[in-house]
Amino acid sequence: MDFTLPEEVEMVRRMVRDFVKDRLQPLADQVEEEDKIPDDVLQEMKELGFFGLPFPEEYGGVGVGELGYVVALEALGGANSAYGNLIGAHTGIATMSIYLGGTEEQKRKYLPELCSGEKIAAFALTEPNAGSDAAAIETTAVRKGDKYILNGNKIWITNGDIADVVIVYAVTDKSLGARGGVTAFIVEKGFPGFSVGKIDEKMGLRGSHTAELIFEDCEVPAENVLGEVGMGFLIAMKALDVGRIGLAGGAVGGAQWLLEQCIEWANQRVQFGKPIAHQQAIQWMLADMATEIHAARLMTYHAAWKLDQGQRVSREAAMVKLFASEMANRVADMAVQIHGGIGYMKEHFIERAYRDTRILRIYEGTSEIQRLVIARDLLKAGK
Amino acid sequence: MEIVVCVKQVPDTETRIKIDPAGKGIVREGIEYVVNPYDEFAIEEALVLKEKHGGKVTVITAGPDRAVDALRTALAMGADEAIHIQASQEDAVDSIGAAEVMARALKEIPFDIILCGKQAVDDDNAAFAPALAEFLGLPHVTVVTGLEVDPEAGEAQVVREIEGAQEHITTSLPAVIAAQKGLNEPRYPALRGIMQAKRKKIPVSTLADLGLEGETLPARTEVLSMMPPPPREGGEKYEGEPEETVARLIKALQAEKLV
């Protein structure tokens, strides 16, 4: 057993870490205030390869595998959550849907421009009446000649406002239920009948946007059925499996960064005549934070490694998403506690991190859904 | 244009350096290594020259196995080729020895210009570039903040930083140019360049291949002892009425020739 990261993954980690420190951290307050990632930064990140990390080079990707992708998202932990969120939705679930479910022709057509970031992708599954119960989606797709006509609304879609390509999940045959009755479509911005509705006001994640997507007799060419008709639900579940691992990587990175800020603060902040780092109460929190981060990191690397080996990871992906997101929330809570009053103030980044962390337990499958996935797999396998 | 960049791998500038128990070196365990920051300016300038005039960028380093990482970083930034001279240089501070090795290696390959950082941030000797130039019988310009090359004329216009002013120099090529901060803004190694860098073959030569004996860089110096800088002493506090304390402060500043 060898825990050394491959050389190229280590290089990815160093490069992203340096980029975060030099380019992204100085912009942290600006992104939060303006609720926008500056265009030139986004462009630079596209050129550097941030948008195609796990995909093979033959499709224009960087080719560092899921492990390299996870480590990159982890190293992004020191930046505003907006970056990892935008890249995660684009890469981990949307582009991943095409990579996992697309025909060879579709992969050749769409992946190069998505990997280069020239085009941004979104993953549109959630609807007003279909969140955790993803099978309850009501958006319909009806075949008409060589086209499908889509009708329905998707909500809270990350990158919805800027996406050029949207993976839309719609019901093609209600009688078949989710497995067989749902189909995924590659919808391009500009297809007739597709529009972006309101952009949401969120608790956090400023700089990354979610939006409502509206399909009103939206015409989609039949060749844009992702993979095959009726495979939609399977593709969505597979993409979410993979996405969850990346999401856990981001959670680990964010938590690690908070820990480092807490250590620095604890050494600086003097109360009762000495730095609070001398107080056992603070030390125990730091120790707990570090221990949980370590556990989550190893779990996440393991799941990514297993995926890169071509093995099934549904259970592990759910486990790392569950543990890493809940860990990140416990760490963020302790970070506020260690900082005390200043950690509650808008002027301080700890307040921002606390708000940004909360969504981790909700999106791409709530903690409860992850437990459901794990338990079902356990009961099926008997171990 | 054949452009050569000499690089050194050094401990990350954020490393908390600890002196080893023997007192002649630093504790290497847990250290993360990076490309010497001044060498990054040299790599960037080489890539800019290549983009402008065409040609090839070759990076070269002398160091232990781990030094290959520095070469791969340069390749990911856009260098074309890399050469690794296998040599243990743990705690060596002998820039002349490093220059001697590099000069021998450079006799084997063509070059129109040689770039390097003005100094390595680990030993801060700033002697490598002039020494290399001497071994090769070439001109050198150090602390360079501006470079314009005219390959046709075989000349370069160089700006170097001196105390309170800039020096503008014309030099014939080939020459050794030592980069200072401000020369350019080094690019990041592109993520998509990393896999390409990984696949590139990096030829390795040993010191024996270069006609040298031993496994460490030849040294004309020896480290007798290494110690951390003395801890900073507390400041002096003048207490009393302003008329009196200000007068004392001015006197103290005058004594230090600060005012």
Side-chain angles (χ1 to χ4, degrees):
Chain A
M1 186 139 69
D2 184 356
F3 285 97
T4 320
L5 288 179
E7 190 188 335
E8 67 275 15
V9 173
E10 195 58 52
M11 280 178 79
V12 165
R13 189 180 67 77
R14 269 203 302 265
M15 180 274 172
V16 176
R17 183 200 58 190
D18 290 347
F19 187 78
V20 166
K21 194 170 132 243
D22 303 340
R23 294 285 285 130
L24 303 187
Q25 281 178 348
L27 297 167
D29 291 344
Q30 185 192 324
V31 169
E32 184 67 12
E33 275 160 33
E34 296 177 4
D35 191 17
K36 182 177 168 41
I37 297 173
D39 291 337
D40 60 329
V41 174
L42 208 52
Q43 185 54 34
E44 194 177 355
M45 292 178 82
K46 289 173 181 176
E47 284 163 15
L48 286 168
F50 275 95
F51 285 73
L53 281 157
F55 305 109
E57 289 173 279
E58 57 170 317
Y59 297 117
V62 170
V64 287
E66 185 69 10
L67 184 61
Y69 171 61
V70 158
V71 167
L73 285 179
E74 183 188 346
L76 268 176
N80 305 53
S81 307
Y83 302 98
N85 211 55
L86 197 162
I87 291 168
H90 165 88
T91 312
I93 46 178
T95 305
M96 191 57 77
S97 295
I98 298 182
Y99 177 63
L100 294 174
T103 62
E104 190 55 33
E105 210 181 330
Q106 288 167 338
K107 287 194 245 184
R108 300 245 165 248
K109 181 175 175 190
Y110 287 101
L111 290 180
E113 282 183 328
L114 291 170
C115 286
S116 70
E118 216 170 309
K119 291 199 170 156
I120 299 293
F123 177 93
L125 180 63
T126 301
E127 295 182 7
N129 293 319
S132 288
D133 184 7
I137 57 171
E138 290 163 347
T139 297
T140 56
V142 180
R143 176 126 197 182
K144 194 176 165 193
D146 58 357
K147 288 192 177 99
Y148 277 84
I149 307 300
L150 269 60
N151 277 292
N153 284 15
K154 297 288 179 180
I155 57 165
W156 308 330
I157 304 306
T158 302
N159 298 346
D161 57 331
I162 54 166
D164 305 282
V165 175
V166 183
I167 309 303
V168 182
Y169 295 87
V171 178
T172 37
D173 187 343
K174 199 161 189 229
S175 68
L176 292 175
R179 287 167 200 280
V182 172
T183 301
F185 294 88
I186 308 173
V187 176
E188 294 182 33
K189 189 165 82 178
F191 279 6
F194 167 50
S195 62
V196 178
K198 83 170 171 68
I199 295 173
D200 304 298
E201 289 284 338
K202 308 183 298 307
M203 179 194 278
L205 292 185
R206 287 175 66 80
S208 162
H209 304 148
T210 64
E212 179 186 20
L213 302 182
I214 302 160
F215 304 90
E216 214 170 355
D217 291 329
C218 172
E219 295 178 17
V220 180
E223 72 222 40
N224 278 31
V225 165
L226 184 60
E228 288 169 38
V229 173
M231 297 295 282
F233 201 73
L234 194 67
I235 293 172
M237 293 305 117
K238 270 184 166 179
L240 285 168
D241 271 356
V242 180
R244 281 163 188 161
I245 305 173
L247 197 150
V252 169
Q256 173 68 35
W257 182 75
L258 282 175
L259 170 64
E260 288 165 17
Q261 304 312 307
C262 286
I263 292 171
E264 205 182 312
W265 174 254
N267 278 320
Q268 270 174 26
R269 173 70 170 167
V270 174
Q271 289 290 275
F272 303 107
K274 56 189 176 186
I276 59 171
H278 293 210
Q279 305 291 357
Q280 200 176 45
I282 301 293
Q283 291 174 4
W284 285 22
M285 279 195 263
L286 294 174
D288 284 345
M289 289 162 96
T291 305
E292 289 213 44
I293 292 168
H294 185 54
R297 178 181 288 122
L298 290 184
M299 281 174 87
T300 307
Y301 286 5
H302 173 259
W305 170 84
K306 202 172 170 190
L307 183 76
D308 284 339
Q309 303 301 309
Q311 298 178 40
R312 193 174 165 270
V313 288
S314 288
R315 187 197 291 188
E316 285 87 348
M319 284 174 163
V320 299
K321 201 285 185 176
L322 170 65
F323 186 75
S325 62
E326 302 224 323
M327 172 283 289
N329 273 258
R330 286 190 291 268
V331 165
D333 190 71
M334 284 187 270
V336 174
Q337 199 64 22
I338 288 171
H339 280 76
I342 191 71
Y344 194 72
M345 297 299 143
K346 277 266 180 203
E347 69 196 71
H348 204 281
F349 52 76
I350 294 289
E351 184 267 352
R352 181 189 87 217
Y354 184 77
R355 279 184 290 111
D356 284 358
T357 309
R358 188 60 183 85
I359 189 63
L360 293 171
R361 282 157 58 196
I362 299 170
Y363 65 4
E364 292 196 31
T366 59
S367 289
E368 293 67 35
I369 290 296
Q370 306 307 329
R371 290 189 176 95
L372 191 91
V373 171
I374 299 163
R376 278 185 185 160
D377 196 62
L378 278 172
L379 293 170
K380 204 162 78 185
K383 58 183 175 182
Chain B
M1 255 187 112
E2 295 284 347
I3 307 156
V4 169
V5 189
C6 302
V7 301
K8 183 179 183 184
Q9 194 190 40
V10 297
D12 189 346
T13 44
E14 287 182 10
T15 309
R16 290 185 193 172
I17 299 288
K18 278 184 283 195
I19 307 291
D20 71 15
K24 291 196 175 186
I26 61 169
V27 177
R28 297 272 163 188
E29 206 192 336
I31 285 187
E32 198 171 321
Y33 291 90
V34 298
V35 177
N36 173 38
Y38 291 108
D39 297 348
E40 287 186 350
F41 301 120
I43 297 167
E44 174 64 30
E45 199 62 16
L47 297 172
V48 169
L49 285 179
K50 180 188 145 184
E51 281 156 13
K52 206 163 171 183
H53 303 290
K56 192 177 82 188
V57 175
T58 305
V59 282
I60 179 165
T61 196
D65 288 343
R66 60 169 163 74
V68 173
D69 288 350
L71 296 177
R72 297 231 183 260
T73 302
L75 290 171
M77 284 171 77
D80 301 284
E81 285 179 23
I83 300 169
H84 179 204
I85 304 163
Q86 184 85 35
S88 160
Q89 58 167 16
E90 303 292 8
D91 303 321
V93 294
D94 198 297
S95 306
I96 315 285
E100 183 181 1
V101 169
M102 213 61 101
R104 283 179 184 242
L106 288 176
K107 285 192 174 126
E108 317 284 319
I109 61 168
F111 56 81
D112 298 304
I113 190 166
I114 300 170
L115 294 149
C116 60
K118 75 167 172 104
Q119 69 194 73
V121 298
D122 52 356
D123 56 37
D124 280 329
N125 278 345
F128 173 82
L132 177 66
E134 285 305 308
F135 278 116
L136 292 170
L138 296 176
H140 72 268
V141 187
T142 57
V143 207
V144 170
T145 54
L147 178 67
E148 285 295 330
V149 169
D150 183 348
E152 304 286 302
E155 268 182 12
Q157 306 295 324
V158 192
V159 182
R160 73 185 293 268
E161 213 171 62
I162 54 172
E163 198 69 38
Q166 284 183 338
E167 215 169 28
H168 291 251
I169 292 172
T170 303
T171 176
S172 62
L173 293 178
V176 178
I177 304 290
Q180 160 72 321
K181 187 177 179 172
L183 177 60
N184 52 45
E185 201 52 57
R187 67 196 68 187
Y188 292 94
L191 293 165
R192 55 181 83 258
I194 287 174
M195 290 309 276
Q196 287 153 21
K198 192 199 171 192
R199 278 191 299 268
K200 284 219 167 112
K201 274 211 160 24
I202 298 181
V204 182
S205 13
T206 60
L207 293 177
D209 294 338
L210 299 172
L212 290 161
E213 284 176 13
E215 282 170 9
T216 51
L217 295 176
R220 291 167 178 77
T221 56
E222 187 192 342
V223 177
L224 297 179
S225 69
M226 208 180 261
M227 63 207 84
R232 270 165 63 174
E233 288 172 22
E236 212 175 318
K237 203 169 179 183
Y238 301 137
E239 285 178 78
E241 291 305 311
E243 294 81 32
E244 184 207 342
T245 50
V246 169
R248 284 178 66 193
L249 174 65
I250 289 173
K251 214 173 223 174
L253 290 172
Q254 280 166 341
E256 297 285 334
K257 293 194 186 342
L258 291 169
V259 288

